Amino acid sequence: MGKTRYSAGDIVPDNICEQPSEWVLVRFAIPVEVYYGYGSVRHVYPTEPIERTEELFNVDGERVDDLVNEYVQLYTTPHHELR
């Protein structure tokens, strides 16, 4: 299972989240690690604990639940704390 790290402010890749428009881009609000599972499954973990998965993204006026792709799992606990 591969992993990629993104910083706060990085644009969220299309394989994780659909972009609502060319004028509004979804960005990560905090640093995250994305682990690649089998097929097109993606697991998005924060690097520090958070209370809600909505805190992973910075989106203007859009619900994150409506934008996240079907095969993406969002977490509130860092990956290394779940082991």
Side-chain angles (χ1 to χ4, degrees):
M1 198 161 66
K3 157 179 101 165
T4 302
R5 185 178 174 100
Y6 294 95
S7 299
D10 287 349
I11 296 172
V12 178
D14 290 341
N15 61 9
I16 294 174
C17 184
E18 296 177 29
Q19 299 298 330
S21 74
E22 64 183 79
W23 304 107
V24 177
L25 296 175
V26 179
R27 296 179 183 272
F28 287 111
I30 60 172
V32 299
E33 292 179 330
V34 177
Y35 286 79
Y36 302 94
Y38 297 104
S40 55
V41 177
R42 305 287 187 257
H43 302 273
V44 181
Y45 296 92
T47 57
E48 298 292 327
I50 57 175
E51 292 189 24
R52 298 181 330 262
T53 56
E54 290 85 13
E55 296 175 42
L56 294 169
F57 306 103
N58 187 2
V59 185
D60 296 327
E62 296 285 339
R63 287 188 44 96
V64 173
D65 297 344
D66 297 338
L67 301 174
V68 175
N69 291 335
E70 180 180 0
Y71 298 108
V72 174
Q73 297 292 316
L74 304 176
Y75 299 88
T76 58
T77 305
H79 185 262
H80 63 86
E81 290 185 15
L82 295 175
R83 296 179 133 211

